[in-house]
Amino acid sequence: MSEFVTSRRVGRMHKIVLDRPKALNSLDLDMCRALHAELDAATADSGVEAVVTTSTSEKAFCAGGDIRALRDAAASGDHEANRTFFNEEYAMDLAYHTHRAPTVAVIHGVAMGGGLGISINGSHRVVTKKVMMAMPETAIGFIPDVGASHFLPRLCGGGDRGLAVGIYLGITGVRMDSADALYTGLATHLIENESRDDFVTAVGEDGLDAALERFGLDRSEAGESAVEKHIDRIVDAFSRETPQDMIAAVEAGEQDEWATSTLEMIRAHCPTSIVATIELLRAGAEAADLRACLDNEAALGEWITARPDFVEGIRAVVVDKDHSPTWGPADLDSVDVEGIRSALTAS
C-alpha cells in the first residue's frame, strides 16, 4: 500500500518500519492506510505478542503529517481531501491505542505531530537519549491533534496539573528531550541510542518484558528535565483562565531564559490556534476516551483548516520559511471564541 512502510513477522513480534527518510518519515495518506493495515494483520495473527514500530532514519522517528500536501489541498479548496486524510489518520491512531497486543514505538530523533500519534497512543514509548518531541501545530495555524487532546491533559498524573502542562506544551510547541518525555509520561522507557536494533531483535526473540529488562536504563540517565525544573511556574501560569492571563502570569514572574522563550513562542504563534488549543484540551480532559477526543479534533480541525491562517502558517514555516506569518486576527482579544466552541460542540 505504501513504499514507505515495510513490515515482517519476527518471532513473537510484528515489526513495522517507517522508511521515508528524505521527508523525515512524514505521513501521507497511503502511509496511514498501510500502518492501519499492518495493525489489522497483527491483530489477526494470534502468534503476535507485540507490535513494534521503528524507523530507518537516524534523524527522525516521524516528523508528523505531510503538511505541504494538506496546505495545497486547503489552498485549492479541496477540503474533502484533508477530511479524508485526517479521518484515516485518526482511525489508525485509534488502532494503535486499542490493539489487542502491546504497541511499542522505538523513538530516536525527531517525533512531532503525527509522529506522536503513532507512538504516544500506544502502550510503550521507548526513547533513546537523542530525542526531540513537540506538538508545534499552533505555529502553523493548526491545533494539536492525533489524540493530543487525550494524552496531553493526562500527562504528569492528569488533573489540574496535567491540564496545565498539556496547555503549556500545546500552545508553545516547546521542544522536549528524552528527560522531558520521561518526566511527563510521553515516554515510558529509555534505552541507549545504539541499542535500538538489538532491543527490537530481543523483543522478537525473548518477548517485550525481557527486552525491556535487558536494555532499559534508569530514567536518571536521561539528565535533567526542563519541564520538571520549571513545573511550579508552568502549573501556576497555565492554570489561568485565558491565554492573556497566562501571558500576564509569565510576565509577572522572573524574566529568565525560560520566561523569555515561553513568551516569544506564544506571541509568534497563531492567536486563533492558541485559543482553540486551550478549548480543545479542556474538552479533552473531560472526554470519556480517545475516540471522543479524536472526534473533537476532527470537528475543530475541519473548522480551522478552512481558515486562511492554516495556509498562511504552513507557507511561513515550511514553504517560504520566512517565519513571518500574517495572522487574522493578529491578536488574542479578537479571536472568535464562540466559533471555536461551536465547532467543538458540533462533534
Side-chain angles (χ1 to χ4, degrees), residues 260-285:
T260 299
S261 62
T262 297
L263 291 170
E264 285 178 351
M265 286 183 286
I266 296 174
R267 288 168 177 159
H269 293 181
C270 175
T272 297
S273 292
I274 288 172
V275 176
T277 296
I278 294 170
E279 294 292 330
L280 176 66
L281 296 185
R282 285 174 175 164

Side-chain angles (χ1 to χ4, degrees), residues 281-306:
L281 296 185
R282 285 174 175 164
E286 302 297 326
D289 52 24
L290 175 59
R291 185 187 298 274
C293 289
L294 289 168
D295 287 345
N296 253 347
E297 292 168 14
L300 186 57
E302 185 170 348
W303 180 84
I304 207 163
T305 55

Side-chain angles (χ1 to χ4, degrees), residues 134-145:
M135 292 297 291
E137 287 79 7
T138 57
I140 59 168
F142 192 48
I143 51 170
D145 65 335

Side-chain angles (χ1 to χ4, degrees), residues 41-334:
T43 296
D45 186 343
S46 61
V48 170
E49 297 179 10
V51 179
V52 176
T53 304
T54 186
S55 161
T56 60
S57 172
E58 279 295 318
K59 295 181 179 180
F61 172 72
C62 174
D66 190 344
I67 57 176
R68 282 178 178 265
L70 295 170
R71 178 188 185 270
D72 290 345
S76 67
D78 189 2
H79 301 299
E80 183 59 35
N82 283 346
R83 186 180 300 114
T84 297
F85 172 81
F86 288 121
N87 285 343
E88 299 224 19
E89 183 185 26
Y90 296 173
M92 175 264 296
D93 293 329
L94 185 63
Y96 267 102
H97 187 70
T98 59
H99 203 277
R100 64 160 186 82
T103 47
V104 185
V106 180
I107 309 170
H108 178 75
V110 175
M112 298 190 296
L116 298 191
I118 61 175
S119 53
I120 311 306
N121 291 312
S123 60
H124 295 70
R125 289 87 66 187
V126 181
V127 297
T128 69
K129 295 178 180 178
K130 186 181 178 182
V131 160
M132 190 284 282
M133 287 186 179
M135 292 297 291
E137 287 79 7
T138 57
I140 59 168
F142 192 48
I143 51 170
D145 65 335
V146 297
S149 63
H150 184 263
F151 61 74
L152 285 181
R154 290 164 177 79
L155 298 178
C156 295
D160 293 341
R161 179 188 181 92
L163 180 56
V165 170
I167 289 173
Y168 164 67
L169 298 178
I171 69 174
T172 64
V174 65
R175 296 184 173 193
M176 294 170 281
D177 60 15
S178 56
D180 295 322
L182 290 159
Y183 172 72
T184 59
L186 288 169
T188 57
H189 299 83
L190 176 71
I191 61 174
E192 294 286 0
N193 301 340
E194 61 272 16
S195 297
R196 303 192 313 275
D197 291 342
D198 291 339
F199 169 75
V200 173
T201 298
V203 174
E205 292 178 350
D206 306 319
L208 177 58
D209 290 343
L212 290 170
E213 177 66 26
R214 178 180 171 189
F215 291 98
L217 304 174
D218 189 272
R219 293 186 176 188
S220 63
E221 294 198 35
E224 182 183 28
S225 162
V227 176
E228 182 177 13
K229 179 180 179 181
H230 299 290
I231 188 62
D232 291 339
R233 299 170 75 182
I234 291 169
V235 173
D236 175 64
F238 294 93
S239 296
R240 307 298 175 107
E241 181 63 25
T242 69
Q244 293 93 327
D245 294 338
M246 296 172 190
I247 291 170
V250 176
E251 290 176 330
E254 180 184 356
Q255 293 309 290
D256 55 4
E257 183 179 353
W258 178 84
T260 299
S261 62
T262 297
L263 291 170
E264 285 178 351
M265 286 183 286
I266 296 174
R267 288 168 177 159
H269 293 181
C270 175
T272 297
S273 292
I274 288 172
V275 176
T277 296
I278 294 170
E279 294 292 330
L280 176 66
L281 296 185
R282 285 174 175 164
E286 302 297 326
D289 52 24
L290 175 59
R291 185 187 298 274
C293 289
L294 289 168
D295 287 345
N296 253 347
E297 292 168 14
L300 186 57
E302 185 170 348
W303 180 84
I304 207 163
T305 55
R307 300 184 71 259
D309 281 345
F310 181 67
V311 174
E312 170 65 2
I314 297 174
R315 178 208 63 76
V317 174
V318 178
V319 180
D320 297 336
K321 299 181 181 179
D322 59 24
H323 296 276
S324 298
T326 300
W327 304 122
D331 62 276
L332 290 165
D333 292 337
S334 302

